[in-house]
Amino acid sequence: MSAHVLPDVTRADQFAYIIRLADDNLVYSHRLAEWIAWAPQLEEDMALTNIGLDLLGQARLMLTLAGELEGEGNGEDDLAYLREEQDFRCVDLVEQKYLHEFGNEIARLLVWSAYTVPLYEGLLESRNATLAEIAAKGIKEVRYHLDHAVSWVTRLGDGTEESHERMQKGLQDVWPLTADLFAVDDLLERMMRAGIAPDMERVEAAWRSIVTEAIERATLTVPDVNPRHGKGRQGVHSEHLGYALAEMQYVHRLHPGATW
Amino acid sequence: MNAISSEEGQAKAAPPTSGKADQNTADDAKAGHAKKAEAVRTESRKPDAGNSGNASDAWKLYEVFIRPRRGVNHSHVGSIHAPDSDMALRNARDLYTRRQEGVSIWVVASNDITANSPDEKDSYFDPAGDKIYRHPTFYDVPEGVQM
């Protein structure tokens, strides 16, 4: 596809970068979908799974784009359902299973959507035009996700003693895992220099200001914990991903190419 | 969550307050007031509020009204649960506008709606039944007017 040809950037690099974005969205959408029928109320079942569906929609567009860049004839389904665990490039944060720990899930939604809002704002300027279009579509969605997360953090943090405690515990648990979102390796460095990825220092600064304001307004404390760097971007994952993929890929592998 | 907790607190605190007022002394009335305030505080910090197991008890019911497009009235589409009106609006958005059903949402706490009782149906509505002159059916409609 000529649209993706940039003289100074290889298609392989663009594929490798975009598959990271896609896998984060895909795996997190699966985690949110698991909440159906388990959230505190039917209404929140719908809210969380709606957000999951938004992320799935973004993942599909990114996987399709990644497949075109890869140039091996893989479509979105091939990439989502037929890759092995070590081919995935998502971060540990999205792999964690927080089902039944509502405080943790809301904490993750806060740190995640406070990351995607400035990320997509930066991607609007990406030299990969298709990626910029995906960000333009996604930005409205992720702004709502952030709004939803912030409103819950406020309620739980500034609610009862127990809700405050559990919200703070959620923040403590997710905090070390946020480091991976902003970690710049050689690939990301090249993508930033080429104008494909946004400046991650700016994204992180915007993220920090959003989460700090939300947490302090909710009478909670910004955790002071050491970052825990995972190896998800290199394909080495937490123990949770394999189980998630088994469930997610099972039907497609049992009935390859089935449609409904 | 705050709104509903304090409301519950007031409801539960009401009997002791009115009991004190019956004794007709200013001191007792003051004591009753203080007791009520304390009850409100205690209730609003009760650990169960907002806990998933008890959420259905703590969440209020809201009625949802959607305006399908500009220039059309908001219509009642259903109801949802929420801890407060901000969240009610978001829940309504997630449940009732998933397929672009609207451009504007109103939510109102079901408790705030005053409705007639079904028992009063006869006295409310039957008297209008035999007053056909209230219908605009006694005019000759000029040709070309669309009804």
Side-chain angles (χ1 to χ4, degrees), chain B residues 52-90:
Chain B
S52 57
N54 296 292
S56 45
D57 304 332
W59 286 24
K60 280 202 282 190
L61 193 65
Y62 287 83
E63 301 301 323
V64 181
F65 299 81
I66 305 260
R67 184 209 293 277
R69 56 185 188 279
R70 259 175 239 297
V72 178
N73 292 331
H74 285 76
S75 300
H76 184 240
V77 294
S79 50
I80 43 110
H81 289 95
D84 57 40
S85 53
D86 273 358
M87 195 64 99
L89 205 52
R90 291 179 174 87

Side-chain angles (χ1 to χ4, degrees), chain B residues 42-56:
Chain B
T42 319
E43 283 297 313
S44 69
R45 301 299 291 182
K46 77 178 175 185
D48 283 346
N51 189 354
S52 57
N54 296 292
S56 45

Side-chain angles (χ1 to χ4, degrees), chain A residues 39-44 46-47 50 53-54 144 147-148 151-152 155-156 158-163 166, chain B residues 1-2 44-49 51-52 55-56 59 79-81 83-84 86-87 90-91 93-95 98:
Chain A
Q41 278 280 0
L42 173 80
E43 285 78 358
E44 190 59 21
M46 296 296 291
N50 264 351
L53 283 175
D54 287 346
Y144 186 82
D147 176 81
H148 188 78
S151 71
W152 265 117
R155 271 167 188 74
L156 297 175
D158 197 12
T160 66
E161 271 161 40
E162 184 178 356
S163 72
R166 289 166 76 169
Chain B
M1 209 161 296
N2 283 335
S44 69
R45 301 299 291 182
K46 77 178 175 185
D48 283 346
N51 189 354
S52 57
S56 45
W59 286 24
S79 50
I80 43 110
H81 289 95
D84 57 40
D86 273 358
M87 195 64 99
R90 291 179 174 87
N91 287 346
R93 178 258 192 199
D94 287 336
L95 272 142
R98 290 162 55 81

Side-chain angles (χ1 to χ4, degrees), chain A:
Chain A
M1 281 237 171
S2 58
H4 309 311
V5 174
L6 298 165
D8 50 336
V9 198
T10 66
R11 291 165 66 111
D13 265 5
Q14 292 187 74
F15 167 80
Y17 173 60
I18 290 165
I19 206 79
R20 293 179 175 185
L21 303 176
D23 286 347
D24 281 352
N25 277 321
L26 180 64
V27 172
Y28 192 19
S29 84
H30 181 75
R31 285 299 182 220
L32 287 167
E34 288 176 327
W35 277 90
I36 196 79
W38 290 110
Q41 278 280 0
L42 173 80
E43 285 78 358
E44 190 59 21
D45 284 345
M46 296 296 291
L48 288 178
T49 44
N50 264 351
I51 292 172
L53 283 175
D54 287 346
L55 298 185
L56 182 63
Q58 293 168 18
R60 292 182 58 184
L61 295 171
M62 289 169 174
L63 286 171
T64 303
L65 172 59
E68 286 168 10
L69 286 161
E70 187 191 32
E72 289 178 17
N74 286 324
E76 50 174 335
D77 280 356
D78 303 307
L79 291 173
Y81 295 125
L82 299 177
R83 277 181 303 152
E84 306 290 337
E85 181 186 342
Q86 64 271 19
D87 302 326
F88 275 74
R89 290 292 180 270
C90 45
V91 289
D92 287 355
L93 175 72
V94 298
E95 298 169 13
Q96 305 303 303
K97 184 155 185 165
Y98 291 145
L99 188 58
H100 308 307
E101 284 292 336
F102 191 63
N104 283 44
E105 195 62 74
I106 292 301
R108 168 158 63 182
L109 188 59
L110 175 73
V111 298
W112 170 259
S113 49
Y115 153 75
T116 48
V117 168
L119 175 72
Y120 286 11
E121 279 169 357
L123 285 174
L124 293 176
E125 311 289 321
S126 174
R127 279 176 67 217
N128 185 309
T130 309
L131 187 57
E133 281 168 25
I134 295 171
K137 181 177 179 296
I139 187 79
K140 293 181 208 159
E141 295 170 341
V142 297
R143 281 186 182 134
Y144 186 82
H145 304 168
L146 177 61
D147 176 81
H148 188 78
V150 168
S151 71
W152 265 117
V153 169
T154 309
R155 271 167 188 74
L156 297 175
D158 197 12
T160 66
E161 271 161 40
E162 184 178 356
S163 72
H164 179 94
E165 232 166 69
R166 289 166 76 169
M167 192 62 243
Q168 186 68 50
K169 177 198 165 280
L171 292 172
Q172 301 295 133
D173 285 354
V174 303
W175 215 257
L177 305 174
T178 57
D180 286 341
L181 296 173
F182 309 105
V184 177
D185 59 1
D186 290 347
L187 172 70
L188 191 47
E189 183 72 50
R190 289 199 297 277
M191 291 298 95
M192 282 161 48
R193 231 176 311 138
I196 303 287
D199 176 356
M200 291 310 288
E201 259 181 46
R202 283 179 59 184
V203 173
E204 187 173 3
W207 173 83
R208 195 164 299 283
S209 115
I210 295 169
V211 291
T212 304
E213 194 196 326
I215 290 170
E216 288 177 353
R217 207 179 54 184
T219 73
L220 295 157
T221 313
V222 176
D224 181 21
V225 290
N226 290 328
R228 201 174 87 206
H229 287 282
K231 291 201 169 79
R233 297 298 192 213
Q234 285 89 54
V236 182
H237 294 281
S238 68
E239 69 271 28
H240 307 285
L241 183 64
Y243 296 102
L245 291 182
E247 191 172 297
M248 197 174 80
Q249 298 182 331
Y250 168 75
V251 173
H252 189 90
R253 286 173 183 254
L254 193 63
H255 306 284
T259 54
W260 59 283

